[in-house]
Amino acid sequence: MVTMQQVADRAKVSISTVSFVVNDTKPVMAETRERVLKAIDELGYRRNSMARALASRKSRVIALIYPLLDHRHHHSFVDAAATAAEERGYSLVLWPVHSDNVSAEIASLIQAGFADGVLLMEVQLEDERVTHLQQAGAPFALIGRTRELHGIDYVDIDFERSVEQAVEDFAALGHRDFSLIIEDLSDTPLAGYSPPIRAEQTFEEAVRSRGLNGTVFRVPHERASILSIADEIARRAPETTAIIGMHDDATFALINVLRHRGIRVPEDISIAGIASATAMATLTDPALSTYDAPGSALGRLATEALIDRLEGRGGPPTQVRIACTLMPGASMGPAPVDRPPLSSEAWKRHPSTSARAVESAALDGTHAI
Amino acid sequence: MVTMQQVADRAKVSISTVSFVVNDTKPVMAETRERVLKAIDELGYRRNSMARALASRKSRVIALIYPLLDHRHHHSFVDAAATAAEERGYSLVLWPVHSDNVSAEIASLIQAGFADGVLLMEVQLEDERVTHLQQAGAPFALIGRTRELHGIDYVDIDFERSVEQAVEDFAALGHRDFSLIIEDLSDTPLAGYSPPIRAEQTFEEAVRSRGLNGTVFRVPHERASILSIADEIARRAPETTAIIGMHDDATFALINVLRHRGIRVPEDISIAGIASATAMATLTDPALSTYDAPGSALGRLATEALIDRLEGRGGPPTQVRIACTLMPGASMGPAPVDRPPLSSEAWKRHPSTSARAVESAALDGTHAI
DNA sequence: TTGTAGGCGTTATCAG
DNA sequence: CTGATAACGCCTACAA
């Protein structure tokens, strides 16, 4: 390994001078700098990050508390965060959380000098990790938000504005009967995860203030219940003509299931995904209209806010909320006129293929894998 | 920040003794150890990772060259790798790659002492990154494989066995006309990414050796073409009764599109996903049968192989291939008898809703978003 | 079993 | 502008 001293020797300068040119921390005569640069190049010198970290008391590492949920837009968060960090000379470390003593562990990451700051995802409204981080004086930024936000750097999806917008857009198309699909995270470690909660509140307020009807469906986290959501809607909100799905998988499944039953999208019912990952849209037929989550923008913003803070750029905290943007597909249409309720026998004329499959399998003894 | 020296003072021992108990590197009398532990506890001491790294010349950091593709099973790789690393006292750093000078950058990660080893994903058959890593003498492990594997630690999906198995399973159900769907990565930086290549070769060999018919479909990476894959199959392989989809999104879209056309799954045609992410299966109706990628097993194995190597546990390289495991759904059935070709007019009796939607929109002036 | 002391490669403070 | 030199906090022979 080539050290600064070796570079210094070869360039016939002192080790400090090498440091000055490498870090651009003090003015150095053009000619001297050239000599140093040349030596660096010839020797293939790279400054040792650990020595640097030790001497400067800065590891230039950011720890990302790793997300539990396998949401597709999390991928873009992480991706953007890693890239933004790298651009500013930092590294992003993935920190898997263990449900117990999370907070203590996070704080000790900093105390051990391993990371300079922490990025937190999947923030809950009351999040003890945030409290601990504050007490420990550890720099951090949130992707998401807590209830109390005073002085906290955070970036978040503006669910309120997004849901409001979706309701508005549907209302403009003449819809009056709405359903909202969210994830049911109660009984999971993420029970206090705010997006579904905030979406639900906003939704109810949005429909109420417009004199519309709205029903909320909470889909349990296990996959099995995803497909039955159509039945659920037919049962509890048969008049629904507009569905807002904040659960990509369920929305995705739903658009197909409806169609298999002969319920046309968007003629009989309209659907839009909200806080969706972009990639989902083109996989359905008709193409799903989505209000896309600004994943990579948020990942980048959060990282930069944190680094700014780490580097002492003071000032007021970064507090940004970005609404989802509508990516038009073909699943939102004008409200149907006099459509029979979803519970009606009228829809039964198109039995689902899978029902037939089960039937025939039972009859002739063959079975599908 | 509490230092070892402070702990030593309080415990009335020397700094080295503290080091010995902290790292369990030399025997220490039970009583002394207790004193030290007590002092550590009282002071809230945490050993400084940077100082440790510098002195021991080991950063205990593993760099993961960050994947480009947004495959859902990559999430489980990364997740498992981070967890496995953490369990052994290492940290996983995400290293975003820039298409240019990748190799040089990777090697310098190591030279700068930032990472002890590298984990490479999305390995290409001829991968210059691997060559550079070898030349630089940098420890690494692959998730995936190159053509030349001598002395290399790697773990990979056994695509050969998986595809073979899928063909075998379908053949046992009486199928004779196969289609394989893979991603077309040519014209992308991942042109030499081996999974599609190997799957294609194995597939062709597998059908040929059994005297079956097989057609390969390469779906371009942009989303737009995903939906048209059904037409493509009808045109180029109208007799197909068994589809193996190594492209979750396309497979997913396909099962729905087929159904919308009145082509029943699995009565008229069978479909299975291969190297899929588990989550996909239950989102379709009928449930997609998948050969699941062993994502987390591979992430963990690769990480452990690398750490073993870093810690000098010599011996032969870890070279593991794990086949995908069949997760039965309801999309694979017995081959149909005398089914009309997919190109036949017979299927036209169920026009797709979206075709109608476009029509009616054009007629009455309304339009779907 | 415990202590002493010399690095590890940089940064940073102070002189010159 | 450039050069000494003392940290930075820990590891590890080597001694005792």
Side-chain angles (χ1 to χ4, degrees), chain B residues 124-321:
Chain B
Q124 315 210 14
L125 280 175
E126 312 288 346
D127 203 314
E128 60 153 342
R129 300 173 302 174
V130 174
T131 325
H132 278 250
L133 246 13
Q134 288 181 124
Q135 282 166 1
F140 65 93
L142 310 181
I143 300 177
R145 47 165 287 210
T146 48
R147 200 180 303 284
E148 171 56 43
L149 288 167
H150 185 69
I152 290 185
D153 289 286
Y154 79 90
V155 301
D156 197 9
I157 297 178
D158 192 334
F159 291 101
E160 288 77 5
R161 205 139 64 78
S162 305
V163 170
E164 184 78 31
Q165 185 63 50
V167 170
E168 181 63 37
D169 291 346
F170 273 121
L173 286 165
H175 293 270
R176 303 193 50 78
D177 296 278
F178 290 70
S179 287
L180 172 74
I181 302 175
I182 55 178
E183 266 177 296
D184 184 0
L185 260 17
S186 51
D187 303 332
T188 78
L190 282 168
Y193 186 49
S194 77
I197 301 171
R198 288 152 59 197
E200 177 169 359
Q201 288 171 353
T202 309
F203 174 75
E204 296 197 317
E205 175 57 27
V207 292
R208 190 160 49 82
S209 70
R210 289 176 176 76
L212 307 169
N213 306 309
T215 311
V216 176
F217 295 85
R218 297 183 194 79
V219 183
H221 199 53
E222 356 82 55
R223 304 268 160 189
S225 50
I226 289 180
L227 282 178
S228 62
I229 185 69
D231 296 319
E232 193 72 5
I233 294 177
R235 197 166 57 71
R236 284 180 44 214
E239 308 293 342
T240 296
T241 64
I243 299 176
I244 300 174
M246 197 166 88
H247 184 322
D248 280 354
D249 288 346
T251 312
F252 208 3
L254 183 59
I255 194 169
N256 288 307
V257 170
L258 287 174
R259 181 155 176 188
H260 298 169
R261 305 199 170 179
I263 301 172
R264 297 165 305 166
V265 176
E267 293 85 344
D268 299 322
I269 199 162
S270 285
I271 308 185
I274 199 163
S276 309
T278 315
M280 305 303 287
T282 52
L283 301 182
T284 58
D285 178 19
L288 184 63
S289 301
T290 55
Y291 291 82
D292 275 14
S296 50
L298 293 179
R300 168 169 291 279
L301 284 170
T303 307
E304 291 186 333
L306 177 57
I307 295 179
D308 283 347
R309 186 91 7 201
L310 291 178
E311 301 189 336
R313 246 160 276 178
T318 299
Q319 305 203 134
V320 181
R321 302 188 202 184

Side-chain angles (χ1 to χ4, degrees), chain A residues 1 44 46-51 53-54 58-61 64 66-72 74-75 78-79 82-83 86-87 90-96 98 104-105 108-115 169 173 223-224 226-227 249-250 252-253 255-257 259-261 263-267 279-280 282-287 289 326 328-334 351-358 360 366-369, chain B residues 1 44 46-51 53-54 58-61 64 66-72 74-75 78-79 82-83 86-87 90-96 98 104-105 108-115 169 173 223-224 226-227 249-250 252-253 255-257 259-261 263-267 279-280 282-287 289 326 328-334 351-358 360 366-369:
Chain A
M1 162 186 272
R46 314 249 2 168
R47 80 157 140 9
N48 182 298
S49 16
M50 295 304 148
L54 179 58
K58 284 181 169 52
S59 66
R60 266 153 270 246
V61 164
L64 173 72
Y66 202 61
L68 269 41
L69 258 31
D70 182 17
H71 281 172
R72 218 141 151 168
H74 283 176
H75 186 278
V78 177
D79 196 7
T83 304
E86 201 267 334
E87 282 171 16
Y90 283 71
S91 308
L92 192 73
V93 168
L94 253 35
W95 210 258
H98 309 295
E105 244 189 278
S108 75
L109 259 186
I110 305 268
Q111 282 160 18
F114 182 75
D169 290 346
L173 287 166
R223 304 268 160 188
I226 289 181
L227 282 178
D249 288 346
F252 208 2
I255 194 169
N256 289 306
V257 170
R259 182 156 175 187
H260 297 168
R261 307 201 167 176
I263 301 172
R264 298 164 304 165
V265 176
E267 292 85 342
M280 305 304 287
T282 52
L283 301 182
T284 57
D285 178 20
S289 300
L326 174 59
S331 66
M332 290 171 76
S352 89
T353 342
S354 72
R356 282 221 305 280
V358 171
S360 65
T366 64
H367 68 288
I369 299 175
Chain B
M1 163 184 273
R46 313 251 0 168
R47 78 157 138 18
N48 182 297
S49 16
M50 296 303 148
L54 180 58
K58 285 180 168 54
S59 67
R60 265 154 268 248
V61 163
L64 173 72
Y66 202 63
L68 269 41
L69 260 27
D70 182 17
H71 280 174
R72 218 141 151 168
H74 283 177
H75 187 278
V78 177
D79 197 7
T83 305
E86 201 268 332
E87 284 171 14
Y90 283 70
S91 307
L92 192 72
V93 168
L94 254 35
W95 210 257
H98 309 295
E105 243 188 279
S108 76
L109 258 186
I110 305 269
Q111 282 160 19
F114 182 74
D169 291 346
L173 286 165
R223 304 268 160 189
I226 289 180
L227 282 178
D249 288 346
F252 208 3
I255 194 169
N256 288 307
V257 170
R259 181 155 176 188
H260 298 169
R261 305 199 170 179
I263 301 172
R264 297 165 305 166
V265 176
E267 293 85 344
M280 305 303 287
T282 52
L283 301 182
T284 58
D285 178 19
S289 301
L326 173 60
S331 66
M332 291 170 75
S352 90
T353 343
S354 73
R356 284 221 304 279
V358 171
S360 65
T366 66
H367 68 288
I369 300 175

Side-chain angles (χ1 to χ4, degrees), chain A residues 298-359:
Chain A
L298 293 180
R300 166 169 293 278
L301 250 29
T303 307
E304 292 186 332
L306 177 57
I307 294 179
D308 283 347
R309 185 93 4 201
L310 291 178
E311 299 189 337
R313 244 161 277 178
T318 299
Q319 305 203 132
V320 182
R321 302 188 202 184
I322 305 179
C324 299
T325 50
L326 174 59
M327 308 295 281
S331 66
M332 290 171 76
V337 185
D338 290 335
R339 192 209 62 189
L342 295 174
S343 52
S344 153
E345 291 297 319
W347 303 110
K348 301 290 166 61
R349 41 182 181 163
H350 296 286
S352 89
T353 342
S354 72
R356 282 221 305 280
V358 171
E359 248 170 43

